[in-house]
mmCIF file of all heavy atoms in Angstrom:
data_model
loop_
_atom_site.group_PDB
_atom_site.id
_atom_site.type_symbol
_atom_site.label_atom_id
_atom_site.label_comp_id
_atom_site.label_asym_id
_atom_site.label_seq_id
_atom_site.Cartn_x
_atom_site.Cartn_y
_atom_site.Cartn_z
ATOM 1 N N MET V 1 0.822 -1.202 0.000
ATOM 2 C CA MET V 1 0.000 0.000 0.000
ATOM 3 C C MET V 1 0.864 1.262 0.000
ATOM 4 O O MET V 1 0.503 2.257 -0.616
ATOM 5 C CB MET V 1 -0.901 -0.032 1.245
ATOM 6 C CG MET V 1 -1.980 1.011 1.244
ATOM 7 S SD MET V 1 -3.177 0.680 -0.050
ATOM 8 C CE MET V 1 -4.342 1.952 0.286
ATOM 9 N N GLY V 2 2.016 1.221 0.654
ATOM 10 C CA GLY V 2 2.892 2.380 0.705
ATOM 11 C C GLY V 2 3.439 2.747 -0.666
ATOM 12 O O GLY V 2 3.567 3.922 -1.004
ATOM 13 N N THR V 3 3.745 1.716 -1.466
ATOM 14 C CA THR V 3 4.266 1.966 -2.814
ATOM 15 C C THR V 3 3.200 2.623 -3.681
ATOM 16 O O THR V 3 3.500 3.530 -4.475
ATOM 17 C CB THR V 3 4.710 0.640 -3.463
ATOM 18 O OG1 THR V 3 5.571 -0.041 -2.557
ATOM 19 C CG2 THR V 3 5.425 0.888 -4.761
ATOM 20 N N LEU V 4 1.959 2.204 -3.518
ATOM 21 C CA LEU V 4 0.867 2.793 -4.286
ATOM 22 C C LEU V 4 0.722 4.275 -3.966
ATOM 23 O O LEU V 4 0.490 5.091 -4.860
ATOM 24 C CB LEU V 4 -0.438 2.049 -3.979
ATOM 25 C CG LEU V 4 -1.682 2.567 -4.693
ATOM 26 C CD1 LEU V 4 -1.563 2.345 -6.197
ATOM 27 C CD2 LEU V 4 -2.923 1.867 -4.172
ATOM 28 N N MET V 5 0.868 4.647 -2.715
ATOM 29 C CA MET V 5 0.737 6.047 -2.319
ATOM 30 C C MET V 5 1.826 6.910 -2.960
ATOM 31 O O MET V 5 1.575 8.040 -3.349
ATOM 32 C CB MET V 5 0.793 6.185 -0.796
ATOM 33 C CG MET V 5 -0.418 5.593 -0.093
ATOM 34 S SD MET V 5 -1.964 6.343 -0.617
ATOM 35 C CE MET V 5 -1.824 7.917 0.201
ATOM 36 N N TRP V 6 3.047 6.386 -3.070
ATOM 37 C CA TRP V 6 4.132 7.171 -3.665
ATOM 38 C C TRP V 6 3.902 7.396 -5.160
ATOM 39 O O TRP V 6 4.426 8.338 -5.729
ATOM 40 C CB TRP V 6 5.486 6.497 -3.431
ATOM 41 C CG TRP V 6 5.948 6.694 -2.034
ATOM 42 C CD1 TRP V 6 6.118 5.738 -1.077
ATOM 43 C CD2 TRP V 6 6.294 7.938 -1.404
ATOM 44 N NE1 TRP V 6 6.526 6.298 0.097
ATOM 45 C CE2 TRP V 6 6.654 7.654 -0.069
ATOM 46 C CE3 TRP V 6 6.328 9.265 -1.829
ATOM 47 C CZ2 TRP V 6 7.038 8.632 0.832
ATOM 48 C CZ3 TRP V 6 6.716 10.241 -0.934
ATOM 49 C CH2 TRP V 6 7.066 9.925 0.378
ATOM 50 N N TRP V 7 3.145 6.523 -5.811
ATOM 51 C CA TRP V 7 2.797 6.749 -7.210
ATOM 52 C C TRP V 7 1.584 7.673 -7.323
ATOM 53 O O TRP V 7 1.458 8.422 -8.274
ATOM 54 C CB TRP V 7 2.454 5.414 -7.911
ATOM 55 C CG TRP V 7 3.671 4.682 -8.348
ATOM 56 C CD1 TRP V 7 4.258 3.637 -7.723
ATOM 57 C CD2 TRP V 7 4.473 4.970 -9.493
ATOM 58 N NE1 TRP V 7 5.365 3.243 -8.396
ATOM 59 C CE2 TRP V 7 5.538 4.031 -9.507
ATOM 60 C CE3 TRP V 7 4.406 5.911 -10.515
ATOM 61 C CZ2 TRP V 7 6.505 4.024 -10.494
ATOM 62 C CZ3 TRP V 7 5.375 5.907 -11.500
ATOM 63 C CH2 TRP V 7 6.410 4.978 -11.489
ATOM 64 N N LEU V 8 0.692 7.592 -6.338
ATOM 65 C CA LEU V 8 -0.541 8.358 -6.401
ATOM 66 C C LEU V 8 -0.320 9.842 -6.127
ATOM 67 O O LEU V 8 -0.930 10.697 -6.779
ATOM 68 C CB LEU V 8 -1.529 7.788 -5.368
ATOM 69 C CG LEU V 8 -2.987 7.745 -5.765
ATOM 70 C CD1 LEU V 8 -3.153 6.863 -6.989
ATOM 71 C CD2 LEU V 8 -3.816 7.187 -4.619
ATOM 72 N N ILE V 9 0.566 10.162 -5.191
ATOM 73 C CA ILE V 9 0.789 11.564 -4.804
ATOM 74 C C ILE V 9 1.248 12.420 -5.998
ATOM 75 O O ILE V 9 0.657 13.467 -6.263
ATOM 76 C CB ILE V 9 1.759 11.645 -3.608
ATOM 77 C CG1 ILE V 9 1.054 11.093 -2.355
ATOM 78 C CG2 ILE V 9 2.218 13.078 -3.381
ATOM 79 C CD1 ILE V 9 1.978 10.912 -1.172
ATOM 80 N N PRO V 10 2.262 12.004 -6.751
ATOM 81 C CA PRO V 10 2.660 12.833 -7.908
ATOM 82 C C PRO V 10 1.568 12.916 -8.972
ATOM 83 O O PRO V 10 1.384 13.963 -9.603
ATOM 84 C CB PRO V 10 3.895 12.131 -8.473
ATOM 85 C CG PRO V 10 4.376 11.251 -7.398
ATOM 86 C CD PRO V 10 3.206 10.890 -6.564
ATOM 87 N N LEU V 11 0.837 11.830 -9.191
ATOM 88 C CA LEU V 11 -0.225 11.861 -10.196
ATOM 89 C C LEU V 11 -1.331 12.836 -9.800
ATOM 90 O O LEU V 11 -1.829 13.591 -10.635
ATOM 91 C CB LEU V 11 -0.813 10.454 -10.389
ATOM 92 C CG LEU V 11 0.099 9.461 -11.107
ATOM 93 C CD1 LEU V 11 -0.560 8.091 -11.168
ATOM 94 C CD2 LEU V 11 0.433 9.946 -12.503
ATOM 95 N N VAL V 12 -1.698 12.842 -8.526
ATOM 96 C CA VAL V 12 -2.714 13.781 -8.054
ATOM 97 C C VAL V 12 -2.197 15.216 -8.159
ATOM 98 O O VAL V 12 -2.929 16.117 -8.578
ATOM 99 C CB VAL V 12 -3.132 13.441 -6.608
ATOM 100 C CG1 VAL V 12 -3.970 14.541 -6.008
ATOM 101 C CG2 VAL V 12 -3.890 12.112 -6.575
ATOM 102 N N ALA V 13 -0.942 15.429 -7.818
ATOM 103 C CA ALA V 13 -0.355 16.778 -7.898
ATOM 104 C C ALA V 13 -0.349 17.272 -9.346
ATOM 105 O O ALA V 13 -0.694 18.436 -9.614
ATOM 106 C CB ALA V 13 1.054 16.771 -7.325
ATOM 107 N N VAL V 14 0.014 16.406 -10.279
ATOM 108 C CA VAL V 14 0.019 16.793 -11.696
ATOM 109 C C VAL V 14 -1.405 17.072 -12.165
ATOM 110 O O VAL V 14 -1.657 18.042 -12.890
ATOM 111 C CB VAL V 14 0.689 15.691 -12.553
ATOM 112 C CG1 VAL V 14 0.448 15.913 -14.034
ATOM 113 C CG2 VAL V 14 2.183 15.640 -12.264
ATOM 114 N N GLY V 15 -2.354 16.246 -11.743
ATOM 115 C CA GLY V 15 -3.750 16.455 -12.120
ATOM 116 C C GLY V 15 -4.282 17.790 -11.627
ATOM 117 O O GLY V 15 -4.972 18.504 -12.354
ATOM 118 N N ILE V 16 -3.964 18.135 -10.391
ATOM 119 C CA ILE V 16 -4.399 19.418 -9.837
ATOM 120 C C ILE V 16 -3.749 20.574 -10.607
ATOM 121 O O ILE V 16 -4.395 21.562 -10.932
ATOM 122 C CB ILE V 16 -4.081 19.495 -8.331
ATOM 123 C CG1 ILE V 16 -4.984 18.517 -7.569
ATOM 124 C CG2 ILE V 16 -4.248 20.910 -7.804
ATOM 125 C CD1 ILE V 16 -4.631 18.378 -6.108
ATOM 126 N N GLY V 17 -2.464 20.426 -10.915
ATOM 127 C CA GLY V 17 -1.765 21.470 -11.673
ATOM 128 C C GLY V 17 -2.365 21.672 -13.054
ATOM 129 O O GLY V 17 -2.558 22.806 -13.499
ATOM 130 N N VAL V 18 -2.697 20.586 -13.732
ATOM 131 C CA VAL V 18 -3.305 20.690 -15.061
ATOM 132 C C VAL V 18 -4.679 21.345 -14.962
ATOM 133 O O VAL V 18 -5.039 22.187 -15.788
ATOM 134 C CB VAL V 18 -3.396 19.288 -15.719
ATOM 135 C CG1 VAL V 18 -4.284 19.308 -16.947
ATOM 136 C CG2 VAL V 18 -2.000 18.790 -16.072
ATOM 137 N N GLY V 19 -5.439 20.988 -13.936
ATOM 138 C CA GLY V 19 -6.759 21.597 -13.747
ATOM 139 C C GLY V 19 -6.677 23.091 -13.500
ATOM 140 O O GLY V 19 -7.432 23.873 -14.077
ATOM 141 N N ILE V 20 -5.752 23.505 -12.656
ATOM 142 C CA ILE V 20 -5.583 24.934 -12.368
ATOM 143 C C ILE V 20 -5.134 25.677 -13.621
ATOM 144 O O ILE V 20 -5.636 26.760 -13.924
ATOM 145 C CB ILE V 20 -4.586 25.125 -11.202
ATOM 146 C CG1 ILE V 20 -5.235 24.640 -9.894
ATOM 147 C CG2 ILE V 20 -4.153 26.576 -11.090
ATOM 148 C CD1 ILE V 20 -4.290 24.627 -8.713
ATOM 149 N N THR V 21 -4.208 25.087 -14.361
ATOM 150 C CA THR V 21 -3.736 25.717 -15.596
ATOM 151 C C THR V 21 -4.872 25.877 -16.596
ATOM 152 O O THR V 21 -5.006 26.920 -17.243
ATOM 153 C CB THR V 21 -2.601 24.887 -16.216
ATOM 154 O OG1 THR V 21 -1.558 24.745 -15.248
ATOM 155 C CG2 THR V 21 -2.047 25.541 -17.462
ATOM 156 N N ALA V 22 -5.718 24.848 -16.713
ATOM 157 C CA ALA V 22 -6.844 24.925 -17.644
ATOM 158 C C ALA V 22 -7.818 26.019 -17.225
ATOM 159 O O ALA V 22 -8.313 26.774 -18.071
ATOM 160 C CB ALA V 22 -7.557 23.581 -17.709
ATOM 161 N N LEU V 23 -8.090 26.134 -15.933
ATOM 162 C CA LEU V 23 -8.993 27.187 -15.455
ATOM 163 C C LEU V 23 -8.423 28.572 -15.716
ATOM 164 O O LEU V 23 -9.129 29.473 -16.158
ATOM 165 C CB LEU V 23 -9.260 27.018 -13.957
ATOM 166 C CG LEU V 23 -10.305 25.977 -13.582
ATOM 167 C CD1 LEU V 23 -10.362 25.828 -12.062
ATOM 168 C CD2 LEU V 23 -11.667 26.373 -14.114
ATOM 169 N N VAL V 24 -7.135 28.747 -15.443
ATOM 170 C CA VAL V 24 -6.504 30.064 -15.636
ATOM 171 C C VAL V 24 -6.541 30.450 -17.108
ATOM 172 O O VAL V 24 -6.895 31.583 -17.446
ATOM 173 C CB VAL V 24 -5.062 30.047 -15.090
ATOM 174 C CG1 VAL V 24 -4.289 31.274 -15.549
ATOM 175 C CG2 VAL V 24 -5.082 29.976 -13.573
ATOM 176 N N THR V 25 -6.211 29.533 -17.995
ATOM 177 C CA THR V 25 -6.216 29.868 -19.419
ATOM 178 C C THR V 25 -7.641 30.123 -19.906
ATOM 179 O O THR V 25 -7.850 30.971 -20.769
ATOM 180 C CB THR V 25 -5.572 28.767 -20.271
ATOM 181 O OG1 THR V 25 -6.191 27.521 -19.971
ATOM 182 C CG2 THR V 25 -4.084 28.672 -20.005
ATOM 183 N N TYR V 26 -8.620 29.428 -19.339
ATOM 184 C CA TYR V 26 -10.020 29.653 -19.739
ATOM 185 C C TYR V 26 -10.481 31.055 -19.349
ATOM 186 O O TYR V 26 -11.094 31.751 -20.145
ATOM 187 C CB TYR V 26 -10.917 28.607 -19.088
ATOM 188 C CG TYR V 26 -12.380 28.780 -19.420
ATOM 189 C CD1 TYR V 26 -12.869 28.391 -20.663
ATOM 190 C CD2 TYR V 26 -13.264 29.331 -18.507
ATOM 191 C CE1 TYR V 26 -14.206 28.554 -20.980
ATOM 192 C CE2 TYR V 26 -14.600 29.496 -18.814
ATOM 193 C CZ TYR V 26 -15.068 29.101 -20.052
ATOM 194 O OH TYR V 26 -16.391 29.261 -20.349
ATOM 195 N N PHE V 27 -10.157 31.475 -18.134
ATOM 196 C CA PHE V 27 -10.636 32.770 -17.665
ATOM 197 C C PHE V 27 -9.794 33.933 -18.161
ATOM 198 O O PHE V 27 -10.221 35.080 -18.068
ATOM 199 C CB PHE V 27 -10.719 32.787 -16.138
ATOM 200 C CG PHE V 27 -11.906 32.027 -15.624
ATOM 201 C CD1 PHE V 27 -11.738 30.866 -14.901
ATOM 202 C CD2 PHE V 27 -13.187 32.473 -15.884
ATOM 203 C CE1 PHE V 27 -12.829 30.162 -14.435
ATOM 204 C CE2 PHE V 27 -14.284 31.782 -15.424
ATOM 205 C CZ PHE V 27 -14.108 30.619 -14.701
ATOM 206 N N ARG V 28 -8.607 33.681 -18.716
ATOM 207 C CA ARG V 28 -7.788 34.775 -19.247
ATOM 208 C C ARG V 28 -8.123 35.074 -20.696
ATOM 209 O O ARG V 28 -7.651 36.069 -21.242
ATOM 210 C CB ARG V 28 -6.298 34.448 -19.110
ATOM 211 C CG ARG V 28 -5.860 34.451 -17.647
ATOM 212 C CD ARG V 28 -4.388 34.328 -17.529
ATOM 213 N NE ARG V 28 -3.782 35.613 -17.872
ATOM 214 C CZ ARG V 28 -2.499 35.859 -17.863
ATOM 215 N NH1 ARG V 28 -1.658 34.905 -17.531
ATOM 216 N NH2 ARG V 28 -2.030 37.030 -18.172
ATOM 217 N N ARG V 29 -8.939 34.222 -21.335
ATOM 218 C CA ARG V 29 -9.348 34.495 -22.708
ATOM 219 C C ARG V 29 -10.277 35.700 -22.742
ATOM 220 O O ARG V 29 -10.927 36.005 -21.748
ATOM 221 C CB ARG V 29 -10.098 33.283 -23.292
ATOM 222 C CG ARG V 29 -9.197 32.109 -23.563
ATOM 223 C CD ARG V 29 -9.935 31.060 -24.329
ATOM 224 N NE ARG V 29 -11.066 30.541 -23.537
ATOM 225 C CZ ARG V 29 -11.920 29.646 -23.969
ATOM 226 N NH1 ARG V 29 -11.805 29.150 -25.180
ATOM 227 N NH2 ARG V 29 -12.905 29.226 -23.195
ATOM 228 N N PRO V 30 -10.373 36.373 -23.889
ATOM 229 C CA PRO V 30 -11.330 37.473 -24.000
ATOM 230 C C PRO V 30 -12.750 36.956 -23.790
ATOM 231 O O PRO V 30 -13.035 35.809 -24.103
ATOM 232 C CB PRO V 30 -11.144 37.973 -25.436
ATOM 233 C CG PRO V 30 -9.829 37.469 -25.867
ATOM 234 C CD PRO V 30 -9.558 36.224 -25.080
ATOM 235 N N PRO V 31 -13.640 37.793 -23.285
ATOM 236 C CA PRO V 31 -15.004 37.349 -22.993
ATOM 237 C C PRO V 31 -15.732 36.780 -24.202
ATOM 238 O O PRO V 31 -16.589 35.943 -24.064
ATOM 239 C CB PRO V 31 -15.707 38.615 -22.508
ATOM 240 C CG PRO V 31 -14.627 39.529 -22.086
ATOM 241 C CD PRO V 31 -13.411 39.169 -22.884
ATOM 242 N N GLU V 32 -15.386 37.234 -25.395
ATOM 243 C CA GLU V 32 -16.060 36.731 -26.599
ATOM 244 C C GLU V 32 -15.786 35.244 -26.817
ATOM 245 O O GLU V 32 -16.554 34.570 -27.475
ATOM 246 C CB GLU V 32 -15.612 37.528 -27.830
ATOM 247 C CG GLU V 32 -16.243 38.880 -27.917
ATOM 248 C CD GLU V 32 -17.749 38.812 -28.160
ATOM 249 O OE1 GLU V 32 -18.190 37.992 -28.979
ATOM 250 O OE2 GLU V 32 -18.482 39.565 -27.518
ATOM 251 N N ASP V 33 -14.658 34.741 -26.295
ATOM 252 C CA ASP V 33 -14.313 33.340 -26.491
ATOM 253 C C ASP V 33 -15.096 32.423 -25.563
ATOM 254 O O ASP V 33 -15.168 31.229 -25.797
ATOM 255 C CB ASP V 33 -12.811 33.117 -26.278
ATOM 256 C CG ASP V 33 -11.996 33.727 -27.409
ATOM 257 O OD1 ASP V 33 -12.599 34.047 -28.448
ATOM 258 O OD2 ASP V 33 -10.786 33.881 -27.251
ATOM 259 N N HIS V 34 -15.651 32.972 -24.506
ATOM 260 C CA HIS V 34 -16.429 32.154 -23.587
ATOM 261 C C HIS V 34 -17.780 31.827 -24.213
ATOM 262 O O HIS V 34 -18.293 32.558 -25.059
ATOM 263 C CB HIS V 34 -16.657 32.894 -22.257
ATOM 264 C CG HIS V 34 -15.406 33.082 -21.474
ATOM 265 N ND1 HIS V 34 -14.765 32.061 -20.843
ATOM 266 C CD2 HIS V 34 -14.667 34.185 -21.227
ATOM 267 C CE1 HIS V 34 -13.691 32.527 -20.232
ATOM 268 N NE2 HIS V 34 -13.608 33.813 -20.452
ATOM 269 N N ASP V 35 -18.360 30.750 -23.778
ATOM 270 C CA ASP V 35 -19.663 30.346 -24.303
ATOM 271 C C ASP V 35 -20.724 31.408 -24.022
ATOM 272 O O ASP V 35 -21.532 31.727 -24.884
ATOM 273 C CB ASP V 35 -20.092 29.010 -23.690
ATOM 274 C CG ASP V 35 -19.163 27.884 -24.107
ATOM 275 O OD1 ASP V 35 -18.544 28.004 -25.182
ATOM 276 O OD2 ASP V 35 -19.052 26.892 -23.373
ATOM 277 N N LEU V 36 -20.726 31.952 -22.808
ATOM 278 C CA LEU V 36 -21.728 32.965 -22.467
ATOM 279 C C LEU V 36 -21.519 34.232 -23.282
ATOM 280 O O LEU V 36 -22.477 34.879 -23.687
ATOM 281 C CB LEU V 36 -21.676 33.278 -20.972
ATOM 282 C CG LEU V 36 -22.154 32.139 -20.064
ATOM 283 C CD1 LEU V 36 -21.954 32.532 -18.603
ATOM 284 C CD2 LEU V 36 -23.608 31.818 -20.325
ATOM 285 N N GLY V 37 -20.270 34.592 -23.533
ATOM 286 C CA GLY V 37 -19.987 35.766 -24.350
ATOM 287 C C GLY V 37 -20.462 35.569 -25.775
ATOM 288 O O GLY V 37 -21.023 36.480 -26.384
ATOM 289 N N GLN V 38 -20.274 34.382 -26.317
ATOM 290 C CA GLN V 38 -20.749 34.101 -27.666
ATOM 291 C C GLN V 38 -22.268 34.143 -27.707
ATOM 292 O O GLN V 38 -22.862 34.652 -28.652
ATOM 293 C CB GLN V 38 -20.247 32.734 -28.126
ATOM 294 C CG GLN V 38 -18.771 32.714 -28.421
ATOM 295 C CD GLN V 38 -18.292 31.337 -28.818
ATOM 296 O OE1 GLN V 38 -19.021 30.368 -28.679
ATOM 297 N NE2 GLN V 38 -17.075 31.250 -29.299
ATOM 298 N N PHE V 39 -22.904 33.605 -26.678
ATOM 299 C CA PHE V 39 -24.364 33.603 -26.619
ATOM 300 C C PHE V 39 -24.910 35.021 -26.556
ATOM 301 O O PHE V 39 -25.853 35.366 -27.272
ATOM 302 C CB PHE V 39 -24.826 32.798 -25.405
ATOM 303 C CG PHE V 39 -26.317 32.692 -25.282
ATOM 304 C CD1 PHE V 39 -27.042 31.914 -26.162
ATOM 305 C CD2 PHE V 39 -26.989 33.382 -24.292
ATOM 306 C CE1 PHE V 39 -28.413 31.811 -26.062
ATOM 307 C CE2 PHE V 39 -28.370 33.288 -24.177
ATOM 308 C CZ PHE V 39 -29.082 32.505 -25.068
ATOM 309 N N ALA V 40 -24.279 35.865 -25.731
ATOM 310 C CA ALA V 40 -24.737 37.250 -25.591
ATOM 311 C C ALA V 40 -24.538 38.022 -26.894
ATOM 312 O O ALA V 40 -25.422 38.772 -27.311
ATOM 313 C CB ALA V 40 -23.992 37.929 -24.445
ATOM 314 N N SER V 41 -23.405 37.826 -27.550
ATOM 315 C CA SER V 41 -23.176 38.559 -28.791
ATOM 316 C C SER V 41 -24.109 38.059 -29.894
ATOM 317 O O SER V 41 -24.534 38.831 -30.747
ATOM 318 C CB SER V 41 -21.710 38.441 -29.227
ATOM 319 O OG SER V 41 -21.370 37.101 -29.460
ATOM 320 N N MET V 42 -24.442 36.763 -29.865
ATOM 321 C CA MET V 42 -25.377 36.232 -30.844
ATOM 322 C C MET V 42 -26.770 36.833 -30.628
ATOM 323 O O MET V 42 -27.438 37.231 -31.574
ATOM 324 C CB MET V 42 -25.453 34.713 -30.746
ATOM 325 C CG MET V 42 -26.372 34.077 -31.769
ATOM 326 S SD MET V 42 -26.481 32.299 -31.611
ATOM 327 C CE MET V 42 -27.367 32.154 -30.066
ATOM 328 N N GLN V 43 -27.187 36.937 -29.362
ATOM 329 C CA GLN V 43 -28.484 37.531 -29.067
ATOM 330 C C GLN V 43 -28.525 38.996 -29.501
ATOM 331 O O GLN V 43 -29.520 39.468 -30.039
ATOM 332 C CB GLN V 43 -28.787 37.435 -27.571
ATOM 333 C CG GLN V 43 -29.326 36.093 -27.158
ATOM 334 C CD GLN V 43 -29.832 36.113 -25.730
ATOM 335 O OE1 GLN V 43 -29.286 36.806 -24.885
ATOM 336 N NE2 GLN V 43 -30.871 35.350 -25.467
ATOM 337 N N GLU V 44 -27.438 39.710 -29.268
ATOM 338 C CA GLU V 44 -27.365 41.119 -29.656
ATOM 339 C C GLU V 44 -27.478 41.259 -31.171
ATOM 340 O O GLU V 44 -28.182 42.134 -31.680
ATOM 341 C CB GLU V 44 -26.050 41.727 -29.162
ATOM 342 C CG GLU V 44 -25.989 43.227 -29.256
ATOM 343 C CD GLU V 44 -27.016 43.927 -28.378
ATOM 344 O OE1 GLU V 44 -27.335 43.414 -27.292
ATOM 345 O OE2 GLU V 44 -27.511 44.995 -28.796
ATOM 346 N N ALA V 45 -26.806 40.374 -31.904
ATOM 347 C CA ALA V 45 -26.877 40.412 -33.366
ATOM 348 C C ALA V 45 -28.290 40.085 -33.847
ATOM 349 O O ALA V 45 -28.776 40.683 -34.815
ATOM 350 C CB ALA V 45 -25.875 39.429 -33.960
ATOM 351 N N MET V 46 -28.951 39.164 -33.179
ATOM 352 C CA MET V 46 -30.319 38.815 -33.559
ATOM 353 C C MET V 46 -31.259 40.006 -33.328
ATOM 354 O O MET V 46 -32.120 40.292 -34.150
ATOM 355 C CB MET V 46 -30.805 37.609 -32.749
ATOM 356 C CG MET V 46 -30.101 36.322 -33.082
ATOM 357 S SD MET V 46 -30.534 35.700 -34.700
ATOM 358 C CE MET V 46 -32.109 34.965 -34.333
ATOM 359 N N LYS V 47 -31.065 40.725 -32.215
ATOM 360 C CA LYS V 47 -31.905 41.888 -31.935
ATOM 361 C C LYS V 47 -31.700 42.969 -33.000
ATOM 362 O O LYS V 47 -32.653 43.579 -33.458
ATOM 363 C CB LYS V 47 -31.557 42.464 -30.558
ATOM 364 C CG LYS V 47 -32.086 41.650 -29.396
ATOM 365 C CD LYS V 47 -31.691 42.299 -28.097
ATOM 366 C CE LYS V 47 -32.040 41.417 -26.909
ATOM 367 N NZ LYS V 47 -31.564 41.989 -25.645
ATOM 368 N N LYS V 48 -30.441 43.184 -33.397
ATOM 369 C CA LYS V 48 -30.144 44.210 -34.396
ATOM 370 C C LYS V 48 -30.764 43.849 -35.746
ATOM 371 O O LYS V 48 -31.322 44.695 -36.436
ATOM 372 C CB LYS V 48 -28.643 44.397 -34.551
ATOM 373 C CG LYS V 48 -28.012 45.113 -33.377
ATOM 374 C CD LYS V 48 -26.524 45.273 -33.573
ATOM 375 C CE LYS V 48 -25.883 45.951 -32.374
ATOM 376 N NZ LYS V 48 -24.436 46.036 -32.500
ATOM 377 N N SER V 49 -30.676 42.581 -36.119
ATOM 378 C CA SER V 49 -31.198 42.181 -37.424
ATOM 379 C C SER V 49 -32.719 42.250 -37.447
ATOM 380 O O SER V 49 -33.313 42.612 -38.449
ATOM 381 C CB SER V 49 -30.718 40.777 -37.808
ATOM 382 O OG SER V 49 -31.250 39.825 -36.904
ATOM 383 N N HIS V 50 -33.371 41.940 -36.341
ATOM 384 C CA HIS V 50 -34.824 42.010 -36.297
ATOM 385 C C HIS V 50 -35.296 43.466 -36.177
ATOM 386 O O HIS V 50 -36.365 43.814 -36.685
ATOM 387 C CB HIS V 50 -35.372 41.198 -35.118
ATOM 388 C CG HIS V 50 -35.298 39.728 -35.350
ATOM 389 N ND1 HIS V 50 -35.987 39.081 -36.327
ATOM 390 C CD2 HIS V 50 -34.606 38.759 -34.712
ATOM 391 C CE1 HIS V 50 -35.723 37.796 -36.303
ATOM 392 N NE2 HIS V 50 -34.868 37.565 -35.319
ATOM 393 N N GLY V 51 -34.504 44.293 -35.546
ATOM 394 C CA GLY V 51 -34.904 45.691 -35.367
ATOM 395 C C GLY V 51 -34.790 46.496 -36.646
ATOM 396 O O GLY V 51 -35.527 47.461 -36.845
ATOM 397 N N SER V 52 -33.916 46.118 -37.540
ATOM 398 C CA SER V 52 -33.679 46.907 -38.756
ATOM 399 C C SER V 52 -34.709 46.628 -39.833
ATOM 400 O O SER V 52 -34.912 47.436 -40.724
ATOM 401 C CB SER V 52 -32.277 46.629 -39.293
ATOM 402 O OG SER V 52 -32.166 45.277 -39.669
ATOM 403 N N SER V 53 -35.383 45.478 -39.802
ATOM 404 C CA SER V 53 -36.327 45.150 -40.879
ATOM 405 C C SER V 53 -37.754 45.558 -40.575
ATOM 406 O O SER V 53 -38.118 46.071 -39.591
ATOM 407 C CB SER V 53 -36.307 43.666 -41.156
ATOM 408 O OG SER V 53 -36.546 42.920 -39.995
#
């Protein structure tokens, strides 16, 4: 069991590091790249196109 723990600790540490890195890169992108930003800009474009006709 002790040997398993020595393999598990680095794997968990790497997993946490990858998760944090993914979160940081996701939130550092411009808002337009986020799903909610794309949704909001799409709604705005739909309002403009319907308002002009």
